Amino acid sequence: MTTTLTGANSFQLQQSLRQIIGDFIRVHGDLALEKLDAVEATYEQILGAVESLPFLASKKMVVAYDLSLNKEAAEKLEQLIGRAGDSTELVI
């Protein structure tokens, strides 16, 4: 599943993100959460996080902050979303 958080209200975006992450951690634990700053990370690092299997959990969540600011990742967004397996929840 892919969740996209967009909009101009940064407070509401942060609140929604905290809620999504909190709900996920309550069920799957914090070891199943991976956060990436897409400005700092390469496309390959982001793709690796999306494709990798969960560790000690049935699902994992990958949160990619500011993905639109990573030119390569933004251009290959469709491929990135398509590579997320059933056991991966991607939050952009």
Side-chain angles (χ1 to χ4, degrees):
M1 175 172 76
T2 301
T3 304
T4 305
L5 299 174
T6 62
N9 187 338
S10 62
F11 176 77
Q12 182 63 43
L13 290 172
Q14 288 299 318
Q15 190 175 17
S16 296
L17 181 60
R18 280 193 298 274
Q19 180 69 41
I20 290 168
I21 290 172
D23 291 346
F24 182 84
I25 288 175
R26 275 190 285 287
V27 175
H28 301 286
D30 60 353
L31 288 177
L33 176 65
E34 187 169 353
K35 296 179 182 179
L36 296 167
D37 179 358
V39 175
E40 301 285 326
T42 65
Y43 173 74
E44 289 76 23
Q45 290 170 321
I46 299 166
L47 181 62
V50 168
E51 289 181 329
S52 66
L53 296 174
F55 179 69
L56 298 176
S58 59
K59 285 191 152 221
K60 73 180 278 186
M61 177 177 278
V62 176
V63 179
Y65 294 96
D66 297 324
L67 191 65
S68 63
L69 299 178
N70 183 314
K71 184 179 179 186
E72 185 177 9
E75 290 173 352
K76 296 179 179 180
L77 182 60
E78 232 177 283
Q79 292 173 348
L80 190 63
I81 291 170
R83 300 293 286 268
D86 292 337
S87 62
T88 302
E89 295 189 24
L90 176 60
V91 180
I92 302 170

